[in-house]
Amino acid sequence: DGLEAFSGFIRATAAAEYAADWLGPVSRPEFPIINPPEDTSKEGEASPIKDRAFSDNWTVSGALTESGSPLMANDPQLAVTFPGHWYLMHLSINGRNLVGGSTPGNPGIGVGRNDHIAWGVTNAGVDERDFRYVELDEGNPAIYRTVPGGDPLSLKVWKEKISVRFGRDVTQLVRKTPNGTVLTSNLFAPYRVHDSPNVAVETRRLGLDEEVSLTGYLNLMRSKTVQEGISALADVTGPSFNISIADVDGNIGYAVSGRIGDRPRKPAMVLDFNPEENLDYDYLPFSENPQTINPTSGRIVTANQRIVGSEYPHYLTDFPIRSERAQRINQLLDEQPIQTVDHFVDMQRDNFSVAAARLIPRLLEVTPLSDADAALLDELRVWDLRYDLDASGPVIFHAWLATIHDHLASDELGETVYANLRSFALPGIVERALAGKAETWCDDITTPVEERCETIFAKSLTQARQKLEASYGVDPASWRWTEAAAITFPHLGFGGLPILDGMFSRSAAIAGGPETLFINNVDAANAPSFENAFYHSGYQAVYDLSALDESLFMVGTGNSGHFRSPFYDNLFDMWRVGKRIQIPTDRSAVEEIATITLMPKSH
């Protein structure tokens, strides 16, 4: 979602041929959610832009579990912050229980279980938004054109006043087309969408065509069977999520929630004036959303990968998200035919990198320029591809990838655009270059000499080593992921501020990396230091449908947002080392520790 707008701002600020090629897809093994092929060597295309949408969910039927009832694991991953996005909640209403993860301001729970079902959520990656350029009339703010100098069309225009506490009120001009909204210029200002000040971006997002209703999710929370849960999702307008459901009767199921556009044609990939892209189309009926109940494989794996193969007749997206985590989940399920709660917890703690397994062999083919460079290859050669805290391999791996990325893309894309891209820890253009599919990027267009990829790879290794030595010493065997990737969890309000940052933010080294199941999606912009991260496994749960009260939970912070509360960060260290807690619903167990008696004020 947003790929078209992203390609638009790159196109406006860099050579179009380079920008389009940087946006080109990378090949990944295919593990679609519905009807995955038996031949897992088949590859498809994944997006280099959507690599930052993360969440994992896997569900197996009772035929594959020790208890004979379904098991489900869910790990919806959000941005690294303190307090976290999730807090744990047990809600009891008239003897009915809801247990799971909630987010501030939302009623009920977003992910969790009731007394009959458990449900997990991941990002579906459905393309829910369309964009195109429009030209605004200089003299009349209520007029726009779909092509410069074209027929005038009418906008609905009004002003919204936004009150700002401790600051000046903001007045925002709202401009609506018949099927979308003209985005305010300040939203796209950093990207210089177009050279003309009269050109704006019209967008339509399907879930916002009307007020988003919570009815579907509230009905999901009340559901008693997989079928009831899937039926409840028909009322969800958006955004689109992968929803997996298991019930105590032994059923498992899956459906994509949210509206899917019944587009008359595949949308354009490059942002431009396009009167034919009028954004006027209807939605598919919910029955056409991808869904399945009790698949013959006995498992449902959703990790943001492709939803369904070419047999699906409707457009979902041009590029699904990378498939490494889906591949790893399926590998681990294959390794243990009978599943247990303990195995699911171990899987959530897994820090093996399928991405590194694919790229390291090619990196080891590079001829080092010195014995010191060769020592780095020796460290990569013995690395077990796990992001353990005492490992040197991930430090070298990501420092090298970041340096290669600098050489490949900074000259073609230019400073403005590349500044927005260098944070990618696993840049697709580097992977394509290592596979021999991006030779033209290896030449530095600012020099008269034509550089080859092998030269760039070797030169980048030397430069990465020099940076690593300056940061961590000259012995590569002593470099540690715990030092290079000691992540700061910034407070939402006071992160980065003197004195307050130390009081409200927290720091920790995380035994995980990009695309591992226990994820630590580091920012590579300041390589070889990776102290910033975008996403992490902030909520983790394993639901046991044979004994729902024995389900296991963890969040990465605590349940209080007040830094003086003992519950502000009481779960932080437990979460880091992979511990879990139970949340019992038996009233005798709850009332013993959680009864608050309200008394009248005494005089």
Side-chain angles (χ1 to χ4, degrees):
D1 190 18
L3 181 61
E4 294 87 349
F6 191 81
S7 64
F9 91 73
I10 288 184
R11 178 169 170 257
T13 55
E17 63 271 20
Y18 289 119
D21 195 40
W22 193 98
L23 287 164
V26 290
S27 297
R28 294 284 188 274
E30 287 279 61
F31 293 89
I33 298 170
I34 295 178
N35 298 327
E38 293 184 7
D39 179 11
T40 56
S41 64
K42 178 184 177 183
E43 291 196 343
E45 295 179 339
S47 165
I49 299 302
K50 296 183 178 180
D51 284 359
R52 298 190 189 174
F54 300 101
S55 290
D56 301 327
N57 175 268
W58 57 95
T59 309
V60 298
S61 72
L64 303 177
T65 68
E66 188 177 67
S67 69
S69 293
L71 287 175
M72 174 186 290
N74 192 203
D75 183 0
Q77 299 148 11
L78 294 174
V80 175
T81 63
F82 226 100
H85 293 271
W86 296 103
Y87 66 92
L88 298 174
M89 182 169 70
H90 168 207
L91 180 64
S92 181
I93 304 173
N94 296 328
R96 294 178 291 132
N97 295 292
L98 283 172
V99 182
S102 186
T103 54
N106 287 324
I109 61 173
V111 288
R113 61 94 168 178
N114 59 26
D115 297 316
H116 305 277
I117 68 167
W119 65 95
V121 180
T122 65
N123 190 321
V126 173
D127 187 350
E128 303 169 3
R129 188 179 296 182
D130 286 322
F131 299 86
R132 67 172 174 175
Y133 284 146
V134 294
E135 182 184 61
L136 303 178
D137 192 283
E138 289 190 55
N140 188 340
I143 295 297
Y144 75 104
R145 295 172 173 83
T146 59
V147 291
D151 295 335
L153 302 169
S154 297
L155 290 164
K156 292 183 179 179
V157 182
W158 70 91
K159 292 182 178 180
E160 292 281 357
K161 182 179 178 181
I162 304 170
S163 299
V164 179
R165 189 181 185 189
F166 306 129
R168 295 181 179 178
D169 292 346
V170 175
T171 300
Q172 184 70 63
L173 187 69
V174 180
R175 294 172 290 194
K176 295 283 290 184
T177 65
N179 296 292
T181 302
V182 175
L183 297 178
T184 56
S185 58
N186 59 314
L187 288 174
F188 278 83
Y191 307 129
R192 281 178 41 226
V193 167
H194 200 279
D195 292 334
S196 171
N198 297 325
V199 172
V201 176
E202 177 194 13
T203 183
R204 179 186 181 188
R205 185 164 188 169
L206 302 182
L208 299 181
D209 283 354
E210 61 187 20
E211 183 179 352
V212 175
S213 172
L214 289 172
T215 301
Y217 287 120
L218 292 173
N219 286 336
L220 172 63
M221 296 177 207
R222 302 185 184 104
S223 297
K224 296 183 179 181
T225 66
V226 164
Q227 184 59 68
E228 282 185 17
I230 290 178
S231 298
L233 298 176
D235 292 326
V236 175
T237 55
S240 292
F241 290 114
N242 298 311
I243 309 291
S244 299
I245 307 173
D247 65 34
V248 295
D249 296 326
N251 301 295
I252 64 173
Y254 160 84
V256 175
S257 68
R259 290 170 171 163
I260 296 175
D262 188 10
R263 293 178 171 93
R265 63 182 67 82
K266 191 175 180 179
M269 283 300 300
V270 177
L271 182 63
D272 206 344
F273 292 101
N274 192 342
E276 294 182 0
E277 294 271 347
N278 61 11
L279 313 190
D280 181 16
Y281 52 81
D282 210 339
Y283 323 108
L284 296 177
F286 178 71
S287 60
E288 294 290 312
N289 282 28
Q291 51 192 279
T292 184
I293 293 178
N294 294 327
T296 55
S297 66
R299 70 171 70 163
I300 298 168
V301 174
T302 81
N304 317 121
Q305 80 274 30
R306 183 182 299 277
I307 293 172
V308 67
S310 58
E311 70 272 15
Y312 186 68
H314 307 294
Y315 172 79
L316 295 176
T317 179
D318 282 292
F319 301 119
I321 302 168
R322 333 171 49 112
S323 60
E324 280 92 344
R325 285 170 292 112
Q327 182 178 355
R328 182 60 176 164
I329 292 166
N330 279 287
Q331 285 177 351
L332 292 172
L333 291 176
D334 289 341
E335 289 175 5
Q336 183 164 319
I338 300 301
Q339 306 301 323
T340 65
V341 170
D342 288 344
H343 185 229
F344 273 32
V345 172
D346 287 342
M347 288 175 65
Q348 288 186 329
R349 293 190 294 221
D350 183 72
N351 62 9
F352 178 87
S353 175
V354 173
R358 185 174 59 253
L359 297 178
I360 290 292
R362 177 64 184 93
L363 290 171
L364 292 176
E365 294 174 356
V366 173
T367 302
L369 301 181
S370 68
D371 289 343
D373 291 352
L376 270 64
L377 295 183
D378 290 340
E379 290 296 314
L380 290 179
R381 196 169 284 111
V382 299
W383 180 32
D384 64 1
L385 307 180
R386 295 183 180 276
Y387 282 74
D388 293 326
L389 294 179
D390 61 353
S392 63
V395 186
I396 299 168
F397 177 56
H398 285 290
W400 193 2
L401 289 185
T403 309
I404 295 174
H405 194 201
D406 286 343
H407 277 286
L408 294 184
S410 60
D411 53 322
E412 283 89 355
L413 296 179
E415 181 179 350
T416 301
V417 172
Y418 187 61
N420 290 276
L421 303 178
R422 66 182 309 172
S423 60
F424 281 68
L426 294 167
I429 192 65
V430 172
E431 184 168 343
R432 289 165 54 207
L434 289 170
K437 299 179 181 179
E439 282 283 342
T440 57
W441 286 82
C442 293
D443 178 41
D444 186 345
I445 64 175
T446 66
T447 69
V449 179
E450 182 179 356
E451 291 85 3
R452 306 296 298 174
C453 283
E454 292 302 317
T455 302
I456 293 301
F457 299 156
K459 180 179 178 181
S460 297
L461 177 60
T462 300
Q463 293 177 340
R465 174 182 57 78
Q466 292 169 344
K467 294 177 184 178
L468 286 163
E469 289 176 346
S471 297
Y472 308 115
V474 297
D475 180 12
S478 69
W479 300 339
R480 296 288 180 263
W481 187 242
T482 186
E483 183 179 359
I487 305 301
T488 297
F489 293 69
H491 186 268
L492 287 168
F494 303 126
L497 297 179
I499 301 176
L500 293 175
D501 185 37
M503 296 169 61
F504 289 86
S505 301
R506 297 293 184 269
S507 297
I510 307 301
E515 292 300 325
T516 64
L517 296 189
F518 190 47
I519 202 163
N520 176 11
N521 187 42
V522 295
D523 180 350
N526 297 316
S529 176
F530 305 98
E531 72 275 8
N532 297 320
F534 297 104
Y535 294 91
H536 71 302
S537 303
Y539 170 90
Q540 295 170 313
V542 175
Y543 307 104
D544 183 352
L545 275 297
S546 72
L548 279 168
D549 260 20
E550 296 179 15
S551 299
L552 300 175
F553 301 88
M554 185 50 63
V555 291
T557 54
N559 257 26
S560 173
H562 196 294
F563 81 110
R564 296 292 296 274
S565 168
F567 304 108
Y568 180 66
D569 58 0
N570 63 309
L571 299 177
F572 187 52
D573 288 334
M574 295 175 64
W575 165 79
R576 281 199 307 118
V577 298
K579 292 184 178 180
R580 301 287 188 271
I581 62 172
Q582 293 181 353
I583 303 178
T585 59
D586 181 80
R587 294 205 67 87
S588 62
V590 174
E591 290 172 350
E592 182 178 340
I593 60 173
T595 297
I596 297 177
T597 303
L598 300 179
M599 302 291 290
K601 182 178 180 181
S602 60
H603 296 282

